[in-house]
């Protein structure tokens, strides 16, 4: 299978448990036996972000890696801690929605494009991560309301708020349901990012005031709809702020 390593953990003395994302088969949990031995031909393929061809052997319900040929490792992520953590956030989010045995071509393309942008472009890692989460939400059927109120359908141009479950709300619904006040420019930025193709993401450049609002609102919206446990700072900060508000 062609696949991307989206999670790994060391097991016993020399083994490593891994989760792969395959365009054709979705999530695949495997073990790479002996990959941490000095000189193992499986060491490189067992690292996060490794993409290539994996030859798997099935025994019962378990898969083990027999051979691998890596085509891309996104190695430049290792040169910048912020970008590395952002890429780890991409993988954490993918893990929450990837399903075993289900075709995942769109999910794979989304992950591959954004890892490429994070590794090899000079775009803001925060802008990329915000855009990635919005597109991932849309792909899972959780597109946040933007120019129309998520509760009543009225315009959100004036006195809008952003609710972690409903998305953008008009002034009246915001008074009833709560949420964080959000400027119209931030709501419009979400609408435009959702409309971009993956090749057009290179045009994303958010004003600092918009970036500040969306890096809080978007991960909260994602966690509220998708759930899951997260360890990267981008998600942990959003969870902490949400807990403080509650």
């Amino acid at each position: 299978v062609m696949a991307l390593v989206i999670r790994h953990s060391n097991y016993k003395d020399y083994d490593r448990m891994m989760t792969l994302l395959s365009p054709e088969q979705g999530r695949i949990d495997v073990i790479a036996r002996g990959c941490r031995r000095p000189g193992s031909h499986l060491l490189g393929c067992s690292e996060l972000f490794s993409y290539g061809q994996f030859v798997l052997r099935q025994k019962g319900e378990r898969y083990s890696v027999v051979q691998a040929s890596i085509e891309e490792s996104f190695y430049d992520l290792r040169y910048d801690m912020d970008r590395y953590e952002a890429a780890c956030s991409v993988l954490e989010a993918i893990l929450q929605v990837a399903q075993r045995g289900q075709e995942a071509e769109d999910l794979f393309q989304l992950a591959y494009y954004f890892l490429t942008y994070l590794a090899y472009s000079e775009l803001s890692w925060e802008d990329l991560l915000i855009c990635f989460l919005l597109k991932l939400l849309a792909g899972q059927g959780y597109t946040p309301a933007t120019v129309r109120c998520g509760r009543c359908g009225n315009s959100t141009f004036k006195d809008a708020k952003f609710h972690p479950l409903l998305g953008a709300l008009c002034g009246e619904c915001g008074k009833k349901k709560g949420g964080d006040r959000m400027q119209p420019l931030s709501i419009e930025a979400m609408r435009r990012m959702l409309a971009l193709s993956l090749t057009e993401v290179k045009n994303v450049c958010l004003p600092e005031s918009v970036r500040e609002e969306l890096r809080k609102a978007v991960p909260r919206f994602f966690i509220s709809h998708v759930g899951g446990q997260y360890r990267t700072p981008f998600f942990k900060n959003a969870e902490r702020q949400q807990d403080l508000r509650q």
Side-chain angles (χ1 to χ4, degrees):
V1 294
M2 299 300 295
L4 172 73
V5 178
I6 59 175
R7 180 171 63 179
H8 68 33
S9 60
N10 292 337
Y11 178 66
K12 294 186 176 180
D13 291 335
Y14 298 108
D15 302 342
R16 180 167 282 173
M17 307 296 294
M18 301 191 301
T19 300
L20 309 179
L21 178 68
S22 164
E24 295 82 16
Q25 300 185 40
R27 173 176 174 164
I28 309 172
D29 296 312
V30 304
I31 183 169
R33 299 190 184 279
C35 71
R36 294 188 291 127
R37 291 183 185 276
S40 171
H41 67 285
L42 295 179
L43 179 59
C45 76
S46 66
E47 297 294 336
L48 279 182
F49 313 116
S50 295
Y51 166 71
Q53 186 179 65
F54 292 79
V55 179
L56 308 179
R57 176 185 292 127
Q58 184 176 11
K59 185 177 182 180
E61 296 183 355
R62 296 191 177 187
Y63 290 94
S64 58
V65 181
V66 177
Q67 188 177 342
S69 175
I70 300 305
E71 295 187 4
E72 177 60 77
S73 66
F74 303 99
Y75 192 82
D76 286 15
L77 291 170
R78 280 79 172 174
Y79 296 136
D80 187 314
M81 185 55 67
D82 287 335
R83 288 183 176 271
Y84 183 86
E85 289 183 350
C88 288
S89 297
V90 168
L91 299 191
E92 276 196 317
I94 291 290
L95 272 167
Q96 302 303 322
V97 301
Q99 301 295 316
R100 295 178 179 87
Q102 292 187 10
E103 183 273 333
E105 178 66 36
D106 291 344
L107 189 59
F108 176 84
Q109 289 294 328
L110 187 66
Y112 195 92
Y113 264 88
F114 276 90
L115 290 177
T116 301
Y117 284 128
L118 284 167
Y120 304 122
S121 79
E122 296 183 358
L123 297 170
S124 162
W125 66 267
E126 290 178 299
D127 295 356
L128 287 170
L129 198 44
I130 290 166
C131 186
F132 165 77
L133 288 181
L134 286 170
K135 290 193 164 297
L136 182 56
L137 281 163
Q140 300 302 308
Y142 298 125
T143 305
T146 52
V147 295
R148 292 294 176 184
C149 175
R151 185 167 181 264
C152 71
N154 287 333
S155 171
T156 58
F157 182 74
K158 186 177 180 181
D159 298 326
K161 288 188 176 182
F162 193 85
H163 192 278
L165 287 173
L166 301 172
L169 299 176
C170 65
E172 288 300 314
C173 290
K175 292 177 183 178
K176 298 175 182 177
K177 304 300 292 186
D180 295 321
R181 188 171 297 280
M182 182 171 283
Q183 59 182 312
L185 186 59
S186 297
I187 295 174
E188 175 63 12
M190 283 193 289
R191 185 192 69 79
R192 292 192 180 193
M193 283 189 284
L194 285 164
L196 291 175
S197 68
L198 291 177
T199 57
E200 293 173 327
V201 169
K202 59 181 178 293
N203 299 320
V204 172
C205 183
L206 301 176
E208 182 56 40
S209 62
V210 171
R211 184 180 298 130
E212 179 70 23
E213 288 187 338
L214 296 188
R215 70 185 175 194
K216 297 175 183 177
V218 174
R220 289 180 196 164
F221 189 90
F222 184 87
I223 293 170
S224 296
H225 286 80
V226 176
Q229 300 294 320
Y230 303 89
R231 295 188 296 175
T232 55
F234 188 78
F235 284 113
K236 294 297 289 184
N237 291 339
E239 288 179 325
R240 190 177 303 113
Q241 292 163 356
Q242 185 73 2
D243 291 342
L244 289 174
R245 285 178 54 82
Q246 292 175 347

